[in-house]
Amino acid sequence: MKKLLILSLLALSSCELPPRQSTTSTTLNSITDSATSETEEEYVMVTTAVSMPMYVHHDQAAFLRWGREKGVKTSILGPAEWDVPSQINIIEEVIGTRPTGLLINGTDPAIGPVINKAVAAGIPTVVYDSDIPSSKRHAFLGTDWYEIGQMQGKEMVRLLGGKGKIAYMGILGLTNMEAGFRGLLDVFKAYPGIEVVGKFDDKANVEEAARITSDLLSAHPDLAGLCGFDSNSGPGIGLAVKESGRAGKVKITTVDWEPEHLQLVREGVIHMLAGQKRELFTWYGAQFLYDMVHQTNKLSGNDRRAGIINVPNSINTGLLRITKENVNEFITK
């Protein structure tokens, strides 16, 4: 059922917000799964780039699985491309349908005001992946991106023995990635032998990451390491390093653990992946919504009247360290 829903999502192309009363919606930006629902409760996830494989395989799969286990309806909405204004518009429309709970991917600080509208409308609202700290969201679950940067920095220092030229890339300007960049650079402050030759915007595009890497290898024949911060950085860096014939010699650390990342680790092209525990974002995010609705844990005579949120305010779901030593465990997951 889930596979059919996801295939339908990838195949069709309507961008209209669909009705969610049917058991299965097949428009591009919507999956509704109520196959096992015995209640009218509907929990809605709103993201952007909804067909991105990383989101489909990890976040959305866990959310759908959670809904089936709880016997409630789950819906996933969002534009096909990375389009924050469209995500905001969809959240606006969803608020009007009064879902039981809203699970929102914190893609950009610009979604803060619409999150506040959802909270003001009395809808339990949880943000996942990246926090929107300026908003009034009830809870956040995700990864500390500063820690991602530190993890990559420490690994690069270890791989290079504390000296050598490195460069790093990702999507410049995003709050989470800028935090990751800071974490990386803060590690290098203690190692004067590490020389940073540049920070680059690969625009979350494999071809762009490969082009930047090729240019860097030409400009700096002694480049010793590269760090990647978005899902497509690693495959692009790996492709260019392989084509240059320097696989294994140029050290690579990056984020995420999609099949192409894992294969590059197994080949010895990428040396470490800083993996997010994405399934935990949405499973426990949905569970937080459910616990708010059902008052699973009461902290007062009436938490709502007392203005108390009865779930944790913020959860760091932690990181996975994936190297050649343990990569097979993730390939066979």
Side-chain angles (χ1 to χ4, degrees):
M1 177 70 171
K2 177 171 69 182
K3 186 176 181 182
L4 175 62
L5 290 168
I6 292 172
L7 288 173
S8 299
L9 171 80
L10 295 171
L12 301 178
S13 60
S14 169
C15 288
E16 204 173 300
L17 189 71
R20 302 196 304 280
Q21 289 78 16
S22 59
T23 55
T24 301
S25 178
T26 55
T27 51
L28 180 63
N29 61 358
S30 171
I31 302 173
T32 295
D33 184 8
S34 59
T36 61
S37 175
E38 297 175 355
T39 75
E40 292 301 313
E41 292 184 23
E42 180 181 22
Y43 297 83
V44 180
M45 168 192 285
V46 185
T47 181
T48 190
V50 71
S51 56
M52 183 186 292
M54 181 177 71
Y55 290 168
V56 173
H57 298 154
H58 298 279
D59 310 11
Q60 297 170 19
F63 183 60
L64 293 169
R65 181 165 52 88
W66 173 84
R68 291 192 189 102
E69 292 203 12
K70 299 302 288 188
V72 299
K73 185 186 294 183
T74 49
S75 296
I76 301 167
L77 302 172
E81 305 299 329
W82 188 273
D83 185 345
V84 173
S86 290
Q87 184 191 13
I88 292 170
N89 289 338
I90 291 170
I91 296 170
E92 292 262 18
E93 293 186 53
V94 170
I95 290 170
T97 69
R98 302 289 304 177
T100 307
L102 257 176
L103 187 59
I104 297 175
N105 189 342
T107 52
D108 190 284
I111 66 175
V114 77
I115 290 172
N116 294 344
K117 284 187 182 179
V119 172
I123 300 170
T125 303
V126 168
V127 172
Y128 72 93
D129 200 351
S130 295
D131 198 5
I132 308 295
S134 60
S135 75
K136 297 178 181 176
R137 91 290 189 275
H138 293 113
F140 163 73
L141 302 91
T143 304
D144 184 329
W145 275 78
Y146 184 82
E147 289 181 4
I148 288 180
Q150 287 208 309
M151 187 176 182
Q152 291 204 61
K154 290 174 182 175
E155 186 72 10
M156 191 58 72
V157 167
R158 188 187 71 78
L159 289 165
L160 300 183
K163 58 182 179 182
K165 289 184 178 179
I166 74 103
Y168 61 101
M169 66 185 74
I171 307 172
L172 305 191
L174 281 188
T175 304
N176 56 359
M177 291 198 194
E178 293 294 340
F181 300 155
R182 286 197 303 277
L184 181 80
L185 297 180
D186 282 353
V187 170
F188 293 156
K189 286 177 181 174
Y191 298 90
I194 297 286
E195 178 185 351
V196 178
V197 301
K199 165 185 177 180
F200 300 90
D201 190 347
D202 63 26
K203 307 182 190 308
N205 181 284
V206 173
E207 290 75 20
E208 183 66 5
R211 186 195 64 76
I212 292 169
T213 301
S214 294
D215 289 349
L216 282 166
L217 293 172
S218 296
H220 303 279
D222 57 345
L223 189 72
L226 286 153
C227 304
F229 281 85
D230 65 64
S231 190
N232 289 325
S233 300
I237 294 170
L239 176 66
V241 169
K242 281 177 71 174
E243 287 182 348
S244 74
R246 298 178 63 187
K249 297 175 183 174
V250 175
K251 310 303 182 187
I252 302 171
T253 65
T254 189
V255 300
D256 295 331
W257 48 290
E258 292 306 293
E260 60 268 35
H261 298 76
L262 298 173
Q263 184 59 34
L264 288 168
V265 171
R266 186 145 74 172
E267 294 173 11
V269 178
I270 291 177
H271 297 80
M272 188 207 73
L273 299 174
Q276 296 174 283
K277 300 175 183 175
R278 303 196 66 89
E279 285 80 355
L280 305 190
F281 301 163
T282 45
W283 178 282
Y284 289 107
Q287 187 62 42
F288 277 15
L289 293 170
Y290 187 91
D291 288 342
M292 290 173 68
V293 171
H294 291 268
Q295 295 284 296
T296 305
N297 293 292
K298 291 185 179 179
L299 305 177
S300 70
N302 187 315
D303 289 348
R304 189 163 299 173
R305 274 208 307 268
I308 295 171
I309 307 302
N310 61 348
V311 296
N313 177 266
S314 180
I315 295 290
N316 179 352
T317 48
L319 293 170
L320 302 166
R321 180 177 181 274
I322 302 174
T323 66
K324 201 168 185 178
E325 284 66 42
N326 65 354
V327 68
N328 287 337
E329 298 300 326
F330 296 90
I331 289 175
T332 58
K333 174 178 176 289

